[in-house]
Amino acid sequence: QHQDSRSLIAEAVRTAITGIRLATHGEKCPVVAFTSSVPGEGKSTLAINTAIEAGRTKKVLLVDADLRKPSLAEYLNLPDEGPGLTDIIAGAPLDICLNHSEDLHISVIRAGTIRQNPLDQLMSIEFRHTLNMLQEKYDMIVVDTPPIELVSDALPIGKIASGVVYVAKANDTPIGMIKRGLSRLESADINVLGVVLNAHDFEKASKYYGEESAYGSYGAYGYHTGTDGRS
């Protein structure tokens, strides 16, 4: 589905990318992180689709920074095991941790060897140096992060990224939970690029969210897509 440039999802993602580009205008290699409140809201699917669409015209890297429950390798039919982000942070050579998709025209770094201290790794100076090094090699970096309601891993990533896209599943995620997640990002002085309202149904939204449906409570950018609910 994400490979079909004429699909509704592709069109919605192109609209989101336009907003991201406007918000990161002037940056040589923007780093865009995706998070959500809880699993199952479609953040990984949106991150993948964003990388693929941007990869049609730019040199793009997709990074799985959900070190607790990585999923990008499975979604992209890559081997489940192999070196990745955690190994680069620990000093492994980049070339053995990169995966290239000729069909999708993107590069991918899987989560890598599971460690006991993922938050410490993401808060380390080595992680910052890793991102800086990767920015020298790509035009855009898309990072999939864990849900913010469960763990704090998205915060150190968002702090050094160009900004965060917050994914919420329409008619499912309580508006209070969304506000709480956005408040955590804002309290950490993290740039929120926008909110993607996933699997949106306008008729149901007016009943579920009431006056806070559609764009009203989501700030400068609000995007609506019809992707599935994978996290």
Side-chain angles (χ1 to χ4, degrees):
Q1 193 173 21
H2 54 250
Q3 290 177 272
D4 184 359
S5 62
R6 299 167 297 178
S7 70
L8 292 176
I9 294 175
E11 184 59 38
V13 171
R14 278 194 289 270
T15 301
I17 289 176
T18 299
I20 290 170
R21 287 177 175 171
L22 288 172
T24 59
H25 181 69
E27 294 191 42
K28 181 181 177 182
C29 177
V31 177
V32 181
F34 282 75
T35 193
S36 61
S37 299
V38 293
E41 298 194 79
K43 67 172 178 61
S44 297
T45 304
L46 263 296
I48 291 169
N49 278 277
T50 298
I52 291 170
E53 286 300 323
R56 298 183 190 278
T57 57
K58 295 179 177 292
K59 187 178 181 182
V60 175
L61 174 66
L62 175 63
V63 179
D64 194 339
D66 189 341
L67 306 184
R68 301 171 191 268
K69 193 176 180 181
S71 59
L72 297 191
E74 178 184 357
Y75 290 175
L76 296 172
N77 296 318
L78 297 173
D80 291 336
E81 297 181 359
L85 179 60
T86 59
D87 303 282
I88 299 174
I89 295 172
L94 176 62
D95 58 353
I96 69 169
C97 301
L98 271 177
N99 295 270
H100 301 282
S101 175
E102 299 298 333
D103 293 337
L104 302 180
H105 307 292
I106 61 173
S107 297
V108 180
I109 295 178
R110 60 165 66 85
T113 306
I114 301 299
R115 313 279 179 169
Q116 293 183 345
N117 55 343
L119 182 58
D120 289 346
Q121 284 194 295
L122 295 173
M123 293 184 68
S124 68
I125 190 64
E126 288 79 11
F127 175 63
R128 183 183 290 271
H129 288 164
T130 295
L131 271 188
N132 291 340
M133 177 266 294
L134 293 171
Q135 283 182 286
E136 296 296 321
K137 301 178 181 295
Y138 291 91
D139 299 322
M140 181 179 182
I141 299 174
V142 177
V143 185
D144 185 34
T145 78
I148 198 168
E149 187 76 11
L150 304 181
V151 293
S152 299
D153 297 14
L155 298 181
I157 298 171
K159 192 68 177 176
I160 59 177
S162 305
V164 172
V165 175
Y166 200 96
V167 181
K169 189 175 181 181
N171 307 316
D172 194 353
T173 313
I175 191 68
M177 186 178 291
I178 298 171
K179 287 182 174 180
R180 187 162 62 242
L182 290 172
S183 178
R184 289 192 69 190
L185 294 173
E186 291 167 1
S187 295
D189 198 26
I190 292 171
N191 184 24
V192 178
L193 298 174
V195 174
V196 173
L197 190 58
N198 198 20
H200 186 62
D201 184 316
F202 282 96
E203 292 184 5
K204 289 184 179 179
S206 62
K207 299 176 183 178
Y208 185 78
Y209 289 109
E211 296 180 356
E212 298 184 79
S213 62
Y215 297 93
S217 63
Y218 293 124
Y221 295 104
Y223 313 113
H224 304 87
T225 73
T227 66
D228 60 31
R230 297 191 296 183
S231 61

